[in-house]
């Protein structure tokens, strides 16, 4: 119960992913800013390893304080001496932790005076409400009335939020991966929102550290599901190419993109895994084949652990120690650290339907560890079907010729 909290560090600290950050948030002794080190070409993004599902700690309410922008955020803005508003709000939440019935998470998002999200505005999910212009003088009464008593704060008047809200971790001073990936994602979201005419329906904002730097780009989406209930879904390893799918499928159709799904507000880590397993099972049973529903476990199975041995389980038929491949071929080795090759492999895998990849019962995905199954490509399938069609035409012509010859002889 109460607020989810992390230790408040000094100006030089070790981040929760094992790397050391200086006051600028960059790795010690490393001035590189390459995409392969910190951006979307990182091995973990391409291989989607470590896996994503179940990486969201359980919580039930998310409070966003609009305050300045990522360029001026220190590594730990909630503890910064000169950023009084976030520091005092964070301290008040910690002091009242035992009295807050809902597990509450505090995050800083971008705020600009004179805009829709001004400095001091507070957004609360899943309540879908906004309080305007909180000041450091108001913090104690705000926490007491809104977060402890679950009532309205006076003199503030809650505004109802409509549409969907997207938050992208851009906290570059905390971790460079978020500083590289986050702004590019925000830009792509804004471009797609404008292109699709979704202004006023979808809002996107940079936010501070939300946990899991190694999963950058990290995205949280708050929107209403098909039942009209507000849910908060976390996505990781998001690239600019994934943004249209998130807008079209998650926000537009209420479909979770399991390949990128980290978890959901209100679910424990174990329940997040069970929820994904259930979705994938239902997708297979109904024959649904959606590229967006490939799971991270799919890539774990194909790239076994270290990503060296390629195992394609799609045509396995048997179990036990018997051979389970109709057309077995020797397992091929992928050269170590070929980033471009792995990227191409990931793209190719997306073409395989979720029915083929996820239709394997639990525990049987490894029954083809010594041999891999040769799965026909679309070209091979087309070529085979075209050959069959040509043979059928030839047979039909021959039949007509024989019938005509017999007819002539009868005359």
């Amino acid at each position: 119960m109460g607020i989810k909290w992390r230790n408040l560090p000094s100006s030089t600290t070790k981040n929760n992913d094992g790397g050391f950050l200086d006051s600028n948030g960059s790795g010690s002794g490393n001035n590189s800013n390459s995409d392969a080190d910190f951006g979307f070409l990182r091995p973990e993004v391409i291989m989607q390893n470590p896996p994503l599902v179940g990486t969201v700690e359980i919580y039930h309410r998310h409070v966003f304080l609009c305050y300045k922008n990522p360029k001026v955020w220190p590594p730990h803005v909630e503890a910064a001496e000169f950023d009084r508003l976030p520091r005092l709000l964070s301290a008040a939440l910690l002091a009242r932790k035992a009295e807050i019935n809902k597990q509450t998470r505090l995050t800083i998002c971008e705020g600009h005076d004179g805009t829709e999200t001004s400095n001091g505005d507070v957004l609360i999910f899943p309540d879908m409400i906004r309080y305007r212009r909180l000041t450091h003088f108001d913090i104690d009464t705000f926490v007491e009335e809104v977060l402890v008593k679950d009532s309205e704060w006076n003199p503030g008047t809650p505004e109802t939020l409509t549409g969907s809200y997207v938050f992208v971790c851009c906290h570059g001073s905390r971790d460079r991966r978020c500083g590289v990936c986050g702004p590019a994602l925000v830009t792509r979201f804004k471009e797609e929102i404008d292109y699709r005419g979704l202004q006023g329906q979808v809002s996107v904002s940079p936010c501070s550290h939300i946990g899991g730097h190694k999963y950058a780009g990290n995205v949280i989406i708050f929107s209403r599901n098909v039942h009209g209930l507000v849910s908060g879904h976390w996505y990781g390893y998001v690239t600019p190419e994934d943004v249209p799918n998130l807008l079209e499928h998650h926000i537009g159709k209420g479909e979770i993109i399991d390949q990128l799904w980290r978890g959901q507000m209100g679910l424990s880590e174990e329940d997040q895994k069970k929820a994904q397993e259930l979705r994938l099972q239902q997708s297979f049973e109904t024959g649904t084949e959606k590229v967006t529903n490939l799971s991270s476990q799919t890539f774990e199975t194909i790239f076994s652990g270290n990503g060296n041995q390629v195992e394609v389980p799609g045509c396995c038929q048997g179990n036990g120690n018997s051979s389970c491949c109709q057309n077995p071929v020797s397992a091929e080795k992928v050269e170590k650290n070929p980033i471009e090759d792995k990227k191409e492999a990931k793209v190719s895998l997306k073409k395989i339907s979720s029915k083929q990849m996820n239709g394997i019962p639990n525990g049987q995905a490894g029954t083809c560890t010594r041999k891999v199954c040769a799965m026909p490509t679309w070209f091979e399938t087309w070529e085979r079907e075209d050959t069959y069609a040509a043979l059928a035409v030839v047979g039909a012509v021959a039949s007509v010729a024989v019938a005509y010859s017999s007819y002539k002889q009868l005359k």
Side-chain angles (χ1 to χ4, degrees):
M1 305 295 288
I3 183 172
K4 303 296 291 183
W5 200 255
R6 293 179 173 82
N7 293 330
L8 301 180
S10 60
S11 59
T12 301
T13 184
K14 182 178 180 181
N15 70 23
N16 64 354
D17 291 332
F20 285 87
L21 305 177
D22 57 25
S23 60
N24 296 321
S26 58
S28 300
N30 188 349
N31 295 320
S32 173
N33 196 35
S34 70
D35 201 28
D37 291 331
F38 303 105
F40 302 112
L41 292 181
R42 304 190 324 270
E44 61 264 32
V45 176
I46 294 173
M47 302 304 301
Q48 295 201 347
N49 188 35
L52 292 168
V53 65
T55 59
V56 178
E57 295 181 18
I58 187 170
Y59 74 110
H60 298 92
R61 177 167 54 194
H62 210 144
V63 176
F64 286 85
L65 172 65
C66 303
Y67 186 79
K68 299 183 178 179
N69 64 81
K71 293 181 180 180
V72 300
W73 290 340
H76 296 271
V77 60
E78 298 91 345
E81 179 180 357
F82 298 105
D83 294 297
R84 182 165 51 178
L85 181 58
R87 175 169 55 84
L88 293 178
L89 177 58
S90 178
L93 287 171
L94 181 60
R96 306 297 297 271
K97 176 180 177 180
E99 303 171 71
I100 298 177
N101 294 322
K102 296 179 182 178
Q103 291 175 307
T104 301
R105 181 183 292 267
L106 173 64
T107 301
I108 310 302
C109 66
E110 188 173 49
H112 293 287
D113 289 336
T115 66
E116 183 63 18
T117 52
S118 299
N119 285 309
D121 286 1
V122 179
L123 313 178
I124 304 177
F125 302 93
D127 307 66
M128 293 292 284
I129 58 175
R130 178 207 313 270
Y131 283 98
R132 293 283 188 182
R133 302 307 299 269
L134 181 72
T135 71
H136 64 278
F137 298 109
D138 307 315
I139 287 175
D140 288 339
T141 57
F142 176 82
V143 172
E144 169 75 19
E145 298 299 327
V146 178
L147 303 181
V148 175
K149 294 182 178 180
D150 290 319
S151 60
E152 292 187 5
W153 170 58
N154 290 314
T157 302
E159 301 176 9
T160 300
L161 299 175
T162 59
S164 299
Y165 283 76
V166 179
F167 295 94
V168 182
C169 183
C170 297
H171 204 162
S173 64
R174 183 73 176 269
D175 188 273
R176 191 175 292 181
R177 287 165 289 190
C178 298
V180 172
C181 297
L185 290 176
V186 170
T187 298
R188 183 62 188 273
F189 266 109
K190 289 182 177 180
E191 290 173 350
E192 288 291 327
I193 289 171
D194 290 342
Y195 175 75
R196 298 165 185 263
L198 297 176
Q199 301 91 335
Q201 302 177 49
V202 180
S203 172
V204 59
S205 177
C207 73
S208 64
H209 172 67
I210 58 176
H213 304 299
K214 57 192 171 187
Y215 306 123
N218 283 304
V219 174
I220 306 177
I221 300 177
F222 294 97
S223 59
R224 297 189 182 276
N225 59 23
V226 293
H227 304 293
L229 301 176
V230 177
S231 57
H233 291 271
W234 293 48
Y235 287 102
Y237 298 142
V238 179
T239 70
E241 289 73 23
D242 297 313
V243 169
N245 269 341
L246 288 171
L247 289 172
E248 180 179 350
H249 291 276
H250 184 103
I251 294 178
K253 301 178 181 179
E255 298 171 350
I256 294 174
I257 302 177
D258 282 299
Q259 178 188 341
L260 305 173
W261 193 68
R262 288 186 58 184
Q264 178 179 347
M265 177 178 62
L267 295 183
S268 67
E269 292 91 330
E270 187 61 31
D271 286 340
Q272 292 163 24
K273 296 177 182 178
K274 291 179 180 179
Q276 186 182 79
E277 290 176 0
L278 179 60
R279 284 195 302 271
L280 295 176
Q281 180 181 354
Q282 292 174 341
S283 177
F284 172 67
E285 290 176 350
T286 58
T288 305
E289 298 187 11
K290 295 178 182 177
V291 171
T292 55
N293 279 345
L294 287 176
S295 69
S296 57
Q297 287 94 332
T298 294
F299 294 96
E300 282 187 76
T301 303
I302 295 170
F303 297 99
S304 56
N306 56 12
N308 290 332
Q309 182 173 346
V310 179
E311 297 180 5
V312 184
C315 66
C316 295
Q317 306 293 329
N319 51 46
N321 297 322
S322 61
S323 174
C324 64
C325 299
Q326 294 176 336
N327 300 303
V329 297
S330 298
E332 297 179 0
K333 298 289 182 176
V334 179
E335 295 180 5
K336 292 185 178 181
N337 300 323
I339 299 300
E340 290 302 322
D341 290 346
K342 291 178 180 178
K343 184 177 181 181
E344 292 177 4
K346 177 183 172 183
V347 173
S348 298
L349 289 171
K350 288 186 178 181
K351 296 180 181 178
I352 303 173
S353 69
S354 59
K355 182 176 180 180
Q356 290 172 309
M357 299 303 300
N358 297 322
I360 307 168
N362 292 335
Q364 294 186 18
T367 56
C368 285
T369 55
R370 296 185 180 181
K371 297 180 180 180
V372 294
C373 308
M375 299 190 68
T377 63
W378 69 270
F379 178 80
E380 292 170 340
T381 302
W382 171 83
E383 187 177 40
R384 184 172 61 245
E385 293 175 353
D386 190 58
T387 301
Y388 293 159
L391 290 175
V393 171
V394 171
V397 171
S399 298
V400 171
V402 171
Y404 182 76
S405 177
S406 300
Y407 172 74
K408 293 288 289 183
Q409 291 176 0
L410 289 175
K411 291 183 65 175

